[in-house]
Amino acid sequence: MNSPLPTLAIVVPCYNEQEVLPSCMLTLTDIIKNLIAQNKINENSYVLYADDGSKDNTWNIIEQESIVNIHAKGLKLSRNRGHQIALLAGLQHADSDLTISIDADLQDDCTVIEKMVDEYHNGCHIVYGVRNDRSTDSTFKRRTAEYFYACMKWMGVQQVPNHADFRLLSNTAKNALLEFGEQNLYLRGLVPLIGFKDAKIYYSRAARLAGESKYPLKKMLALAIEGITSLTITPLRIIAAAGFIISILSTLVALYSIFEKIVGNTVEGWTSVMIAIFFLGGVQMLSLGIIGEYVGKIYIESKKRPKYFIEKKTDDNVAN
């Protein structure tokens, strides 16, 4: 006896995406229909658009699409909470056997969604979309991405290089991911912690069709800091190691100074003293900043505030 076909929900976080949404909706709907026609998913599959408090016409477009398209649903967050929170909200409200997350600009190659579904049918609970070509990125972005992944690996973070948030999750894997209750989210670092059988699908990323990137340099840096401080305490250990090394060096310099004083070779001057003061002051301020980042996260986590609130939904059948 054949098992019933699974329901697929494609989760699309959106923020001010009115320029690209019409094309995105047409493309993803065609993919859903094609997979249904091939008997790989059932006819109740759909695309769930999670509006992250957009200020443009994004939500109106989603509402209109849900009226004329049985494969489109939407939910609107009460305010902008960021890409990771909007994606999490979409995952939590997706009532399906498997979910695939993809950004609305469709720079990720949505034609490999079929391959992801095939891997699910082969028993995989997680399928990562991994870029094998970064030619559409600037040289600066390529280099910083390489350094970032190398840094994360050195710090012991289990992260798939060149993978963003284009992935398939089975219902089992999704429910496991939702067990993580932290406020400071870095989903691409949390998913590998789940375990379960996984696979990687490689693709080339296209240039953005319209609109502006939602990850300028400032947000990229913020996401990098979020990832490092959310998944590893290595920076705190670096501080401890640096403090130990500086203490040893300071002791050696102190012994040398005492020896020079005894033999009468002291030379008056303030340059070396000022360098030492500024150096140690800079190290202390940097260390306090890193420690403060971790303390701030503890403070936020301790409040246990809701991550988001849903203002509207286009379909009452979207899971609560």
Side-chain angles (χ1 to χ4, degrees), residues 97-228:
D97 299 304
L98 65 152
T99 58
I100 293 178
S101 56
I102 188 170
D103 290 342
D105 56 23
L106 295 189
Q107 285 185 268
D108 297 311
D109 186 3
C110 55
T111 63
V112 303
I113 287 178
E114 183 177 347
K115 295 181 181 179
M116 290 181 165
V117 174
D118 290 339
E119 291 292 346
Y120 169 81
H121 285 294
N122 289 333
C124 290
H125 288 277
I126 304 171
V127 183
Y128 299 100
V130 181
R131 298 175 63 181
N132 59 7
D133 179 14
R134 302 189 70 101
S135 60
T136 57
D137 291 343
S138 65
T139 301
F140 174 77
K141 191 170 183 178
R142 286 198 299 272
R143 291 289 181 266
T144 52
E146 291 172 2
Y147 296 147
F148 172 68
Y149 289 121
C151 179
M152 294 288 274
K153 182 178 180 180
W154 176 72
M155 291 186 178
V157 176
Q158 300 179 32
Q159 183 176 0
V160 178
N162 295 315
H163 163 71
D165 288 300
F166 182 31
R167 72 178 73 88
L168 177 148
L169 295 174
S170 70
N171 201 42
T172 301
K174 185 189 76 170
N175 290 336
L177 176 63
L178 297 179
E179 289 291 322
F180 291 96
E182 54 250 55
Q183 295 282 339
N184 303 284
L185 287 176
Y186 185 67
L187 294 177
R188 64 191 70 173
L190 290 178
V191 173
L193 299 179
I194 297 173
F196 300 118
K197 183 179 178 181
D198 63 55
K200 298 180 179 66
I201 299 295
Y202 294 91
Y203 68 96
S204 298
R205 201 165 196 242
R208 187 180 176 90
L209 294 177
E212 298 180 353
S213 171
K214 302 305 180 294
Y215 269 102
L217 179 60
K218 181 179 178 181
K219 286 191 175 182
M220 287 172 57
L221 290 174
L223 184 66
I225 293 172
E226 188 75 65
I228 292 171

Side-chain angles (χ1 to χ4, degrees), residues 69-112:
N69 185 354
I70 62 172
H71 299 298
K73 298 181 182 181
L75 59 87
K76 179 178 175 61
L77 275 61
S78 61
R79 59 181 291 265
N80 178 243
R81 294 291 288 124
H83 177 272
Q84 298 290 279
I85 297 291
L87 176 53
L88 182 71
L91 293 175
Q92 287 181 322
H93 288 79
D95 185 12
S96 60
D97 299 304
L98 65 152
T99 58
I100 293 178
S101 56
I102 188 170
D103 290 342
D105 56 23
L106 295 189
Q107 285 185 268
D108 297 311
D109 186 3
C110 55
T111 63
V112 303

